[in-house]
Amino acid sequence: MDAFIWLAVIVICLIIEAVTLGLTTIWFAGGALIAFIASLFRVPIAIQFFLFFIVSLALLFLTRPIAIKYFNKDRIKTNVDTLIGKQAVVISEINNLKGEGTVILEGKEWTARSNAKHEILEDGMVVKILRIEGVKLIVEKDLEGV
């Protein structure tokens, strides 16, 4: 009977993985497979659960980073991702304390904030986009200039 339950867990995990393609349940399918094999040898249910959890966690923590690296290597950046690292020009002083600041980037105005809390970036300065938080560009003074 235990073997059928583990087979059901394997099938459910694989179906969820096939639908989501997010590398979320494949690790638990591996743990369920080991528990299934243990059940065929009539290993007590407590040990089957232990094997399921240990193998699932081991697969999750040891192989997931590697799998993510290789499955996402051809990931296409979205429009927002392509902005990071680019230069922009301050058109309205960036002052985090006042909550003000605007830059022009590729012909579009963006609300911007300085990465350094108390740094004020003056009009006309060239800045580099570090990241995006919500709809605001987080920038720093670009030391390379133009």
Side-chain angles (χ1 to χ4, degrees), residues 82-102:
T82 61
L83 300 178
I84 296 172
K86 290 195 174 183
Q87 293 177 326
V89 177
V90 177
I91 59 171
S92 171
E93 180 182 85
I94 298 173
N95 185 327
N96 290 358
L97 294 175
K98 292 182 180 179
E100 299 173 340
T102 312

Side-chain angles (χ1 to χ4, degrees), residues 53-95:
F53 286 114
I54 294 300
V55 170
S56 296
L57 290 175
L59 288 172
L60 179 67
F61 290 114
L62 297 176
T63 61
R64 188 170 194 272
I66 296 166
I68 295 277
K69 178 181 174 183
Y70 288 106
F71 282 113
N72 285 340
K73 71 179 181 179
D74 296 328
R75 183 178 148 237
I76 298 170
K77 291 184 175 185
T78 63
N79 291 340
V80 173
D81 291 330
T82 61
L83 300 178
I84 296 172
K86 290 195 174 183
Q87 293 177 326
V89 177
V90 177
I91 59 171
S92 171
E93 180 182 85
I94 298 173
N95 185 327

